[in-house]
Amino acid sequence: MPQSNFPGLFYLGQKMAVRIVGPQYPPLQLIDNSFYLSRTHVYKLRVLITGWYRSESKKVILERLKAVSSKFGLSYRSVKITGAKTRWGSCGRKGNLNFSWRLVAAPPEVIDYVIIHELAHTLEPNHSRKFWQTVARFCPDYKEKRVRLKTVIPLA
Ligand SMILES: [Zn+2]
């Protein structure tokens, strides 16, 4: 079954299943915790799932970034959604933020921690004590969130 191709099909912290169904349009649809894939498009499963993650992540991450930054009065210069595989997010010297679309595998509150982490870098560029104090100001239980982030399985 296609599931075996996706050991880590998580979206917002929930494990997703893939179910093959009769012809449908659009060929890939998410309903509750299942992706329904048209049997006419089984051969395109990976491309469709990856495309779906990319476009959904853009909506989810930008929306949460907007909410988190305005809630805490933090600003940034620009934001890009990338395909990074080894890092969830990063912050350039001038406040240019990057987030990997793979981050949407994480639960919402863990995504918010990553967003806070990168926004905190606009104030403190290094992982100094001052940096972690800044993170703690906006996310008091950040240590627990960091531990949970390590257990997130991104889409390969
Ligand atoms: Zn950092």
Side-chain angles (χ1 to χ4, degrees):
M1 282 305 285
Q3 285 95 316
S4 59
N5 298 329
F6 293 103
L9 200 54
F10 284 85
Y11 179 62
L12 300 178
Q14 305 279 325
K15 178 116 172 128
M16 300 290 141
V18 177
R19 301 183 197 288
I20 311 300
V21 292
Q24 65 173 16
Y25 191 83
L28 183 71
Q29 296 172 34
L30 180 74
I31 301 165
D32 298 326
N33 285 352
S34 294
F35 284 108
Y36 288 83
L37 177 73
S38 176
R39 63 180 148 79
T40 55
H41 285 69
V42 171
Y43 69 103
K44 276 187 116 178
L45 175 62
R46 180 162 286 275
V47 171
L48 287 170
I49 295 262
T50 305
W52 188 93
Y53 267 76
R54 275 180 189 280
S55 71
E56 284 306 302
S57 72
K58 215 165 236 178
K59 288 184 236 164
V60 169
I61 294 170
L62 297 185
E63 190 181 292
R64 302 197 81 86
L65 172 63
K66 217 172 138 187
V68 168
S69 59
S70 67
K71 181 177 173 187
F72 297 121
L74 295 164
S75 59
Y76 55 95
R77 194 157 167 239
S78 68
V79 57
K80 241 189 250 168
I81 305 299
T82 73
K85 282 189 174 178
T86 55
R87 52 194 352 198
W88 299 111
S90 63
C91 177
R93 282 187 174 277
K94 289 174 180 158
N96 302 310
L97 307 180
N98 299 292
F99 296 98
S100 172
W101 57 260
R102 291 178 170 82
L103 181 58
V104 291
E109 62 276 17
V110 176
I111 296 176
D112 287 356
Y113 156 70
V114 174
I115 290 172
I116 288 167
H117 181 118
E118 300 311 335
L119 284 169
H121 276 314
T122 64
L123 305 172
E124 298 291 333
N126 307 308
H127 291 128
S128 59
R129 234 182 78 189
K130 218 173 152 200
F131 168 79
W132 290 113
Q133 284 167 354
T134 304
V135 171
R137 198 145 40 94
F138 305 117
C139 185
D141 58 351
Y142 77 90
K143 284 181 184 165
E144 183 238 320
K145 300 284 179 357
R146 283 186 84 194
V147 171
R148 288 175 65 197
L149 184 60
K150 288 197 176 98
T151 69
V152 172
I153 303 169
L155 187 67

